[in-house]
Amino acid sequence: VCQSHTVPVQSCVQAVTLEVKDGNSTCIKAELSASMSITYNSSSSTETAVVPLPDSASVDAGSSSCGTDRNLPWLVAVFGSGHALGLSFSTNGSLYSVANLTLQYNLSDTSVFPGSNSSVVVTVVTASVGIWAAVNTTYRCVSPTMVAVGGQSVTFSDMRLEAYMQGNELSPAESVCIADQSITTAPPATTSTTSAPTTAHPSPTPPGTPERGTYYVYNSNGTVCLLAQVGLQLNVSYLSQSQNKTVQEMINLAPNLNASGSCEASSATLVLTQAESIALSFTFSLNSTSNKYHLSGITLRANFSDMSAPFVASNTSLSYLWSTLGHSYMCNAEQTLAVERDFSLNTFKLQIQPFGVTTHQFATAEECQMDQDEMLIPIIVGAALAGLVLIVLIAYLIGRKRSHAGYQTI
């Protein structure tokens, strides 16, 4: 045990490997170091104990599980005299994340909490963890990451973690946390979706028009089932850590986001991720009776360095981008899709087809009303000019006829 005023925290932290199994198959595996900073009352003052997760920590078989249709997967590590650290996981099929972090500590353990005036076992929980990764990848974060939980805190470091595993070893493909990435400038426009992601950061000035990216979602048989081309701009309000106030930022997304998703008979999902900084998902729904589809849901998870906590916004009752099965939806004009009070999404030069894709090409497009209106303006102006010319010509002919009326032919 480290007392925070005498012993450096990092000197006490050790690496631990933890696995949750279902028979011979591993479903959750974690290699990490962790320390818990816990404030408690002694008989004379308030003390803080920094408690490392020891290498003797073990997986609690009674609390840990690979999950079921009704229960989330759990990794619960137990150590010492009644202490535990637990992580639960959830997934949307394309991403998995830590849904809850649970910390349990026993204040009667005087070896950890010397002079404690309480003997209760305390359990605190938080759902604001900010750890997520693409399915079939390992979450990696070497940098220290602190998670606040019930007035206490847990700091992870040297973390490699994977849930919903397909094999018994951590995937070589990694989703790297934002703290481990260098700050880079977005590269020039490209339609590639496989290049290395860059870290997005809010800009203090309006960012201009975002570059257009091209994204594909594939069926299990390798055929394309969803096509999208769009420039994306986030409009978010969040609590700034440096300014200690709520700020509003417009953030252009680079056109090289990683694309994944799924396609079902009446629903389709496009998930765009940028390492650990952004996960933006779109859900489309198809009405088989009317053969009309639309954008029904948008979810954003963002974790920028200046955010006091990970940003999450979701709305599954949207009604945008309506089109007909067998056609793509197209809107070159800028659109603003309101999602929640603190988040809206601006789209530019959008064309998307989530259903009825037969090749790598879009089907005939149905254009948005704004594009149709923009096409009508030059038509109306041209018709008005043509009408004006016609009026001038008629007036000229009438005037010329009248000018000859007073003369007789000799």
Side-chain angles (χ1 to χ4, degrees):
V1 179
C2 308
Q3 294 303 118
S4 63
H5 56 281
T6 59
V7 182
V9 174
Q10 292 304 317
S11 67
C12 302
V13 179
Q14 305 172 65
V16 181
T17 299
L18 304 164
E19 290 186 68
V20 179
K21 290 180 174 288
D22 183 6
N24 294 324
S25 300
T26 301
C27 59
I28 305 171
K29 186 172 183 177
E31 298 173 353
L32 55 85
S33 299
S35 64
M36 285 109 345
S37 178
I38 301 171
T39 301
Y40 67 97
N41 293 322
S42 67
S43 56
S44 59
S45 62
T46 299
E47 305 287 345
T48 299
V50 177
V51 186
L53 184 67
D55 56 6
S56 59
S58 61
V59 173
D60 182 17
S63 303
S64 302
S65 74
C66 292
T68 64
D69 292 339
R70 295 186 176 183
N71 298 310
L72 296 177
W74 273 93
L75 166 61
V76 180
V78 292
F79 57 98
S81 300
H83 313 299
L85 179 64
L87 301 171
S88 69
F89 298 86
S90 62
T91 182
N92 63 5
S94 300
L95 300 170
Y96 68 89
S97 63
V98 175
N100 294 284
L101 183 149
T102 300
L103 173 62
Q104 176 183 296
Y105 52 95
N106 180 10
L107 289 173
S108 67
D109 185 355
T110 56
S111 66
V112 176
F113 306 107
S116 172
N117 62 4
S118 175
S119 59
V120 300
V121 176
V122 180
T123 301
V124 287
V125 183
T126 183
S128 299
V129 182
I131 294 176
W132 70 80
V135 169
N136 297 328
T137 70
T138 298
Y139 173 83
R140 191 199 79 191
C141 199
V142 177
S143 304
T145 302
M146 188 187 75
V147 180
V149 50
Q152 316 297 357
S153 67
V154 179
T155 299
F156 295 103
S157 60
D158 296 318
M159 175 183 274
R160 298 184 75 237
L161 166 73
E162 186 176 1
Y164 304 96
M165 295 174 65
Q166 299 298 310
N168 290 332
E169 299 299 329
L170 293 173
S171 172
E174 295 182 330
S175 294
V176 181
C177 71
I178 187 173
D180 283 4
Q181 301 175 54
S182 59
I183 308 304
T184 58
T185 304
T190 173
T191 59
S192 170
T193 62
T194 58
S195 55
T198 56
T199 303
H201 284 270
S203 170
T205 58
T209 302
E211 300 290 346
R212 191 188 200 198
T214 300
Y215 309 105
Y216 303 94
V217 175
Y218 295 88
N219 277 317
S220 56
N221 60 8
T223 60
V224 175
C225 61
L226 185 151
L227 290 169
Q229 288 185 330
V230 63
L232 294 168
Q233 186 179 79
L234 308 180
N235 191 343
V236 295
S237 298
Y238 63 90
L239 182 61
S240 168
Q241 195 169 21
S242 62
Q243 301 181 50
N244 195 28
K245 67 177 183 179
T246 299
V247 297
Q248 184 177 10
E249 297 286 351
M250 297 180 69
I251 305 158
N252 285 351
L253 300 187
N256 59 342
L257 300 170
N258 293 320
S260 60
S262 62
C263 300
E264 306 295 338
S266 58
S267 66
T269 302
L270 170 65
V271 181
L272 302 177
T273 58
Q274 191 162 279
E276 281 302 300
S277 60
I278 292 172
L280 179 63
S281 66
F282 303 84
T283 300
F284 296 86
S285 299
L286 172 66
N287 186 320
S288 58
T289 302
S290 64
N291 283 337
K292 295 285 187 179
Y293 66 82
H294 70 285
L295 175 64
S296 58
I298 296 177
T299 298
L300 171 67
R301 294 176 180 266
N303 191 11
F304 303 131
S305 59
D306 192 41
M307 286 180 170
S308 59
F311 180 91
V312 179
S314 181
N315 191 331
T316 57
S317 302
L318 303 178
S319 184
Y320 296 127
L321 317 187
W322 283 86
S323 191
T324 306
L325 181 64
H327 293 75
S328 61
Y329 173 91
M330 185 168 72
C331 197
N332 287 311
E334 177 184 352
Q335 292 185 100
T336 298
L337 310 180
V339 180
E340 283 189 351
R341 183 187 63 179
D342 294 333
F343 169 51
S344 62
L345 180 69
N346 299 330
T347 67
F348 300 79
K349 297 181 180 179
L350 167 67
Q351 187 168 10
I352 192 163
Q353 186 173 350
F355 300 100
V357 177
T358 57
T359 66
H360 278 67
Q361 302 296 322
F362 290 106
T364 303
E366 291 186 346
E367 296 185 76
C368 66
Q369 188 62 48
M370 287 183 289
D371 281 3
Q372 295 178 28
D373 291 345
E374 287 184 0
M375 290 179 63
L376 283 175
I377 291 173
I379 293 174
I380 293 171
V381 172
L385 290 174
L388 182 60
V389 170
L390 182 60
I391 291 171
V392 171
L393 179 61
I394 292 173
Y396 168 75
L397 293 175
I398 292 174
R400 184 178 180 184
K401 182 177 181 181
R402 285 179 177 176
S403 66
H404 289 283
Y407 299 93
Q408 298 295 325
T409 303
I410 299 175

